[in-house]
Amino acid sequence: DDDAYIAAFYDDLDKDGDDCPTTLAASTSAAASQIRDFIEQEEQEQSPGSQTFPSVPHDDFTSALSPITRLAIVTSGSVPTPLDTDSVNYLDTLGSGNRAAACAEEFLKRGYHVVFLYREGSLRPFSRVLAKRMKKAHMLTDQVQLNSATGRLELVLDAEEARMAQTLKTYVTIKPRLLEVSFSDLFEYLYLLREACRAAAPLGHGALLFLAAGLSKMFIPRHDLSRPSAAYLDQGKESLKLSPVPHVIRAARQSWCSQAFLVAFKLENDTLSLVE
């Protein structure tokens, strides 16, 4: 069943050794510890008795809780799925991370603490504004210039100057409430998501999961991954045995942080399916 499938996936994910062709990087475990420390620190800052949450409808709970008790776990960007041990080939989805980054900004402005799990290279809260500006430039000097007197880079002044200044001021204010953690593939993403959810569980209804990362529906389990063969690279004739990606929303809802308010997105291009 689904529960057993999810449990088997994480049992394999937690198993590192000679019998597993791939292992999670040490940096991933360090990132998980960073997430736990960030959330536990915020839990300790709560006033006595704040673990007792009011009984309110989910759509009203954000206004019923004090800011220090609110945490949003936001996932962002496409999630690469390796097809071999060297990640030479992989499945991927489309997604810049702009929607999740913008929503994370709004959570922060409304008093939330935010753990932002993002794909390396995708857009991030507040810095996305500058990234978009740079993307529009025909040349680098259209956007920044070097001050010969100070040796510092400066933005070229234009009509967006006020907006950029306000974005920077806001970021400086909310920075202590934001933790950004990157992932590079499906295995790192699902591992970090589980650890973040477990750490947030004591917050009860004060936790919010905003799962906007784009996952492929299929993957190759870690123990089935192998090095890319010459046949695969040169002729493309190697067959692949894919398995469905575990529905971790079920685990998040039932065991990891069962009281959290959960928002998830589903990519669907079939209009009829959306109506049904």
Side-chain angles (χ1 to χ4, degrees), residues 46 49-56 65 69 202-207 259:
Q46 297 178 26
S50 63
Q51 290 294 327
T52 302
F53 296 96
S55 177
V56 296
L65 298 174
T69 66
L203 289 172
H205 294 303
Q259 292 183 304

Side-chain angles (χ1 to χ4, degrees), residues 9 30 44 65 70 87 107 178 201-202 242:
F9 172 84
Q44 293 171 2
L65 298 174
R70 295 184 292 176
S87 295
F107 287 134
L178 172 63
L242 302 175

